[in-house]
Amino acid sequence: MLLSFVLALSLPAAAIAQSAVQTGLPLPAAPTKTVSKLDVEELDRRASLLMQQLEMTGMAMAIVEDGKTVFAKGYGEELRDSGMFVTEDTVFRWASVSKGVAANTLLSLVEDGDITLADMAEDLAPSLDLPGEEKQVNLVHLLSHQTGIVRNAYDDRIEGGKAAKPTRTSLGKLGILCEPGTCHTYQNVAYDAAAEIIEGKTGLPYKTVVQERVFDPLGMDTASMTLEGLTRNKRWARPHGRFGKKISSVKPTYYRVPAAAGVNSSVKDLAKWMTAQFPESGQIPLERLDAMQTPVISTRGEQRFLNRRFGDLKQAHYGLGWRVYDFHGHKIVGHRGGVDGYRSLVLFDPEAKAGIALMWNSPHTRPIGLQMEFLDQLHGQPKKDWLRLNEGRL
C-alpha cells in the first residue's frame, strides 16, 4: 500500500505510464547471493592515507558486509592538535543523512493508520504555508522534495537564527519554479514539516518519537537529536573549517530543523541505521523500505555533480528521504550531509547487504571518493583513484 501510494501520487501521469526500463533503472529481480570482494585492509589503508591530507582533521569509517559491521575505526583528531583521537565511539553530526530517519518515522505513522501519503502536508503541519491558493503538496511530495519552490528555501533564515515554524509560514511568499510533484528542489525548512506532523499526530516531541521508534529498537545508544545530545558525550568531534581552522563553537542552527538535519551519533550507530535499510535485516517493514528506496523523482543537479567527480553513479533519483542511483547495473541507495564544520555520508547496496558510512569534522568533499572505492571493490570494478591521492600503484 505504501509503495503504491508513492508511485501513484508522486509522478506525473506520463511518468506513471513509463516502465522501469524507460526510466533507465534496473528492473526488480529476485534477490541473489552476492559474493563480496571487499578488501577492508585496503580501504583502511586508503583512509589512513587520506588523513595525511592537510584539509582533514578527524574521520570515522564503518563498513558493513553481509549485513554485519565488519569494520569500524576512527582516524585523526576530534580537535586539531589536542591529542584527543577519533575512535569508532566518537560522536559526529549526521546533517542531512537525518532525512531518512524522518521519512521512516513518518511512514511508521502511515502504517499505524494515523495519516495517509495522500494527505496534504499543509493540512497536517499548521506552520507550513506554500505558494498557491490550492493545496497540492502531499506527503510523498514533501519527503521527496517536490514542493515546487526554490531549492534550500530560507536556509539563510535558519542559519541567521530564526526558528523553523515562523520561517515556514513565509514560504508562501515565494514563487513557484514548477508545479508540485513535477521537479526536485531540495529543502530543509519545508522538509522539517515532517517533524511538526509527527509531533501533532503523536502528541510527543519529535526527538522522543524518534528515540522510541528508531534509536531504541536499533540499539543506537549514542544517537541523539540536540546540541546538548552532541556535547554531553565523553567523545565528540569538534567542528573545523578549511584546512583545520578551528571553529569556536557548534552552531545550533540546523538542530532547529531536526527532521532535516538533527541527528548525532557514532559511526557504529550510523552503521546500525544503515544495516536496518537492508530488506533481509527484518528491522524495518519491507513495504516501508520499498517506499523509501523506490526512485520517485530525477535529481538532475545531483547527477551533474556526480558527472564532474563520481561519474560511475548514474540515474540519480530521490526516493523518500534517500537518494537512489545505478552503479553498473546495481541499485545503490544513500545520502550525504553537511553542516558547518561537519560532513557525513552513507552508501549501500541493499540486496548485497553491504555499505559504507563515513563522518568527518571538516567541510571538504574528498572523502566521498572512499564510497566509490568501496563500490568498485564490492562489484568487481577496476581500481580508480577516486580519492585523488595519486598513488603510483593504482
Side-chain angles (χ1 to χ4, degrees):
M1 185 66 72
L2 284 176
L3 182 56
S4 63
F5 270 125
V6 172
L7 294 175
L9 295 175
S10 62
L11 299 174
I16 294 173
Q18 290 181 333
S19 69
V21 173
Q22 289 173 308
T23 68
L25 290 162
L27 286 166
T32 57
K33 184 175 179 58
T34 301
V35 178
S36 176
K37 298 181 180 180
L38 293 183
D39 184 345
V40 174
E41 290 184 0
E42 173 65 5
L43 291 169
D44 178 31
R45 188 188 70 81
R46 292 283 286 171
S48 297
L49 191 59
L50 167 66
M51 294 306 299
Q52 297 176 23
Q53 306 304 305
L54 178 62
E55 65 261 38
M56 298 302 296
T57 297
M59 185 178 74
M61 177 171 72
I63 297 171
V64 173
E65 183 177 11
D66 196 25
K68 298 178 182 178
T69 300
V70 296
F71 181 88
K73 181 179 176 180
Y75 305 83
E77 293 181 290
E78 297 170 348
L79 176 65
R80 184 171 284 245
D81 300 326
S82 69
M84 298 186 297
F85 296 104
V86 175
T87 75
E88 66 270 24
D89 296 311
T90 298
V91 174
F92 290 78
R93 297 182 68 179
W94 288 20
S96 284
V97 175
S98 307
K99 289 182 170 69
V101 171
N104 172 84
T105 306
L106 193 56
L107 289 175
S108 74
L109 296 184
V110 174
E111 292 163 4
D112 291 346
D114 296 328
I115 52 178
T116 75
L117 289 175
D119 289 342
M120 294 295 109
E122 289 174 272
D123 289 335
L124 298 173
S127 74
L128 182 61
D129 183 18
L130 294 170
E133 296 182 2
E134 295 184 9
K135 298 174 182 178
Q136 304 179 63
V137 173
N138 58 50
L139 296 189
V140 169
H141 299 146
L142 180 71
L143 295 177
S144 57
H145 306 282
Q146 295 186 83
T147 58
I149 58 177
V150 62
R151 69 182 179 89
N152 296 95
Y154 291 154
D155 280 2
D156 56 340
R157 298 190 182 187
I158 297 296
E159 291 167 0
K162 299 293 184 182
K165 289 183 179 179
T167 303
R168 274 197 289 278
T169 63
S170 301
L171 293 173
K173 301 175 183 177
L174 296 171
I176 287 288
L177 291 182
C178 66
E179 289 299 314
T182 63
C183 74
H184 178 270
T185 58
Y186 193 82
Q187 302 296 324
N188 287 304
V189 176
Y191 193 94
D192 187 61
E196 186 176 351
I197 293 168
I198 290 166
E199 291 181 338
K201 287 299 177 181
T202 63
L204 296 170
Y206 176 66
K207 64 180 181 179
T208 301
V209 180
V210 171
Q211 187 73 43
E212 293 177 351
R213 295 190 178 220
V214 180
F215 298 159
D216 287 347
L218 298 182
M220 297 169 62
D221 298 331
T222 66
S224 63
M225 300 204 68
T226 63
L227 174 57
E228 294 73 23
L230 173 71
T231 59
R232 71 180 176 221
N233 287 278
K234 292 181 180 180
R235 310 199 66 92
W236 64 280
R238 278 64 168 177
H240 294 76
R242 291 182 58 81
F243 303 108
K245 181 179 180 181
K246 298 174 185 177
I247 296 175
S248 59
S249 61
V250 179
K251 291 183 179 180
T253 49
Y254 282 98
Y255 288 111
R256 299 189 180 106
V257 285
V263 179
N264 319 297
S265 87
S266 68
V267 77
K268 289 196 300 186
D269 278 349
L270 180 54
K272 290 177 183 178
W273 167 243
M274 177 174 64
T275 303
Q277 310 309 308
F278 304 161
E280 290 190 24
S281 76
Q283 296 173 295
I284 296 175
L286 291 178
E287 193 174 12
R288 192 190 310 170
L289 291 178
D290 284 341
M292 291 191 292
Q293 297 176 17
T294 293
V296 172
I297 186 71
S298 175
T299 53
R300 295 183 178 87
E302 166 80 352
Q303 190 62 62
R304 286 193 293 270
F305 164 74
L306 294 173
N307 289 344
R308 291 193 297 270
R309 288 279 306 279
F310 309 107
D312 282 19
L313 284 175
K314 305 292 187 183
Q315 296 294 329
H317 284 69
Y318 209 92
L320 304 185
W322 286 108
R323 297 185 182 276
V324 187
Y325 312 99
D326 174 82
F327 180 80
H328 297 280
H330 301 274
K331 178 181 175 180
I332 303 297
V333 181
H335 214 294
R336 297 189 308 279
V339 291
D340 191 34
Y342 298 93
R343 294 293 184 271
S344 64
L345 69 83
V346 168
L347 198 74
F348 58 92
D349 182 326
E351 295 301 331
K353 299 180 292 182
I356 185 170
L358 289 166
M359 294 186 286
W360 59 101
N361 56 344
S362 59
H364 304 282
T365 61
R366 193 196 294 253
I368 298 173
L370 269 171
Q371 73 176 13
M372 302 303 298
E373 297 190 13
F374 165 84
L375 285 179
D376 282 347
Q377 285 192 14
L378 181 65
H379 292 299
Q381 295 298 312
K383 281 188 177 181
K384 293 182 183 178
D385 185 14
W386 293 108
L387 285 172
R388 297 180 299 166
L389 298 176
N390 300 316
E391 280 196 287
R393 71 174 65 186
L394 290 179

